Amino acid sequence: MKDKVTIHTLKRFKQIGQKICMVTAYDATFAHILEEAGADVLLVGDSLGMVIQGHDSTLPVTMDQMVYHTAAVARGARRAHVVADLPFMSYQVSTQEAVRNAGRLVAEGGAGSIKLEGGAEFADTVRAIVRASIPVMGHLGLTPQSVHKMGGYVVQGRGEDQARQILDDALALEQAGAYALVLEGVPMDLARTVTQSLSIPTIGIGAGVECDGQVLVCYDLLGMNPDFKPKFVKRYANLHGSITEAAGAYFAEVRKGSFPDEEHSFKANKNIRLAASAPAARVEPAAPADGGEKMGPVYGRPA
Ligand code: KIV
């Protein structure tokens, strides 16, 4: 196994011009697969509110849910850095609450850092969390927790004033101690300017190729939802098609009675004949003398 990715690895990647590969993960199996595929950073995004829970925004996601999913991802990851989102209203009310909730993601969830949305107005919050020895990733541009303020999911920083604000916010977050920054839904020229103005890495989503790294929601890049086709997502697979085909084949065999066949069934040790009779006194199952047929784990936990 290669060395564990840390926030220092990511800063070095920027210095040597190595692109950072970040992707969302919400469970141990996906974390394991995505890490094996080469992910440097696994983001337990509050996007889980939409792609896992089926809400139409990230706003209903709770701290307990974030801790639950972060712990699952951390169990599946060995090398990748795990960063977890602070959900809506877990850090906006007070700095104290922000530090405590960031601490939960690390202590209970096993995250290596946390991410929060917002600019200079959260500089003190970032500072306080960093002071508690918890690394912070910022998130600027299209910030989904501010969907109502933005009036929808709208590209940010197209005009000069907004672009200047985003650059100022980026500098403020770096000053406050953030170790990296997600830039979401901003023009590529602005992302380039921000990237060149910072010593910490920028990670883009819908922000062009000149960020120091890229992030996508794993379900989007894998093509799990054929109806979701935003401009910034490239589909690298059609898992919706593969899953539909595979599950359809399974259902067809079940209906036909051809699954499970002999290969997928167990046999008794001897030719035992059991006639239906009046129920006998209950006998507790004892360990078979030959040790029984070993199956290994019953469900496919990532190795
Ligand atoms: O919640 C999320 O998944 C995110 C990324 C898409 C950046 O914040």
Side-chain angles (χ1 to χ4, degrees):
M1 188 183 78
K2 289 197 223 154
D3 288 344
K4 176 100 186 149
V5 177
T6 70
I7 61 164
H8 305 288
T9 321
L10 301 176
K11 283 184 186 163
R12 198 171 64 247
F13 278 10
K14 174 161 181 140
Q15 285 158 8
I16 63 175
Q18 182 169 333
K19 293 279 189 185
I20 296 167
C21 295
M22 178 157 122
V23 65
T24 65
Y26 313 105
D27 64 43
T29 297
F30 264 88
H32 185 66
I33 296 170
L34 294 167
E35 169 176 280
E36 276 195 327
D40 300 310
V41 184
L42 296 171
L43 167 65
V44 190
D46 60 358
S47 50
L48 68 84
M50 298 171 90
V51 299
I52 302 286
Q53 299 175 336
H55 293 297
D56 62 2
S57 77
T58 60
L59 304 182
V61 177
T62 66
M63 262 314 293
D64 284 347
Q65 290 162 353
M66 288 307 302
V67 168
Y68 172 90
H69 285 279
T70 303
V73 168
R75 280 191 289 271
R78 307 268 182 286
R79 173 186 168 268
H81 180 78
V82 176
V83 52
D85 265 340
L86 275 175
F88 183 58
M89 281 301 125
S90 68
Y91 61 96
Q92 289 91 342
V93 176
S94 76
T95 305
Q96 244 196 343
E97 261 185 53
V99 175
R100 203 178 304 284
N101 285 325
R104 284 194 67 195
L105 292 174
V106 174
E108 297 173 46
S113 66
I114 64 93
K115 175 166 84 57
L116 59 80
E117 299 179 8
E121 70 279 19
F122 287 103
D124 285 343
T125 307
V126 170
R127 222 171 264 119
I129 297 173
V130 171
R131 203 181 307 123
S133 302
I134 299 168
V136 177
M137 179 181 279
H139 185 157
L140 292 174
L142 193 168
T143 44
Q145 290 179 18
S146 305
V147 57
H148 297 308
K149 183 173 150 193
M150 293 182 300
Y153 299 110
V154 184
V155 174
Q156 301 292 299
R158 281 198 142 129
E160 200 176 327
D161 288 352
Q162 249 195 19
R164 160 62 51 196
Q165 183 64 58
I166 289 172
L167 177 58
D168 288 348
D169 284 339
L171 292 166
L173 291 174
E174 177 177 51
Q175 270 284 312
Y179 76 89
L181 203 61
V182 165
L183 290 174
E184 177 165 0
V186 298
M188 51 199 287
D189 296 356
L190 172 59
R192 185 199 312 118
T193 305
V194 173
T195 300
Q196 290 172 352
S197 308
L198 298 181
S199 64
I200 58 172
T202 59
I203 300 174
I205 172 165
V209 75
E210 293 191 59
C211 295
D212 298 304
Q214 296 294 325
V215 57
L216 281 177
V217 167
C218 62
Y219 282 22
D220 296 345
L221 81 92
L222 295 172
M224 295 280 263
N225 180 354
D227 302 324
F228 183 63
K229 297 182 197 144
K231 185 175 167 68
F232 63 91
V233 170
K234 180 171 175 185
R235 286 200 201 137
Y236 290 85
N238 173 14
L239 283 204
H240 180 275
S242 305
I243 293 170
T244 308
E245 204 178 308
Y250 161 61
F251 300 144
E253 290 194 5
V254 169
R255 289 196 178 105
K256 226 172 33 182
S258 60
F259 177 84
D261 53 13
E262 282 218 4
E263 190 193 338
H264 297 95
S265 303
F266 302 108
K267 289 206 169 87
N269 294 338
K270 296 184 210 119
N271 235 347
I272 300 170
R273 287 188 174 277
L274 295 179
S277 60
R282 186 173 163 74
V283 180
E284 286 308 323
D290 61 1
E293 189 172 346
K294 293 248 165 38
M295 298 209 310
V298 278
Y299 304 118
R301 173 179 176 266

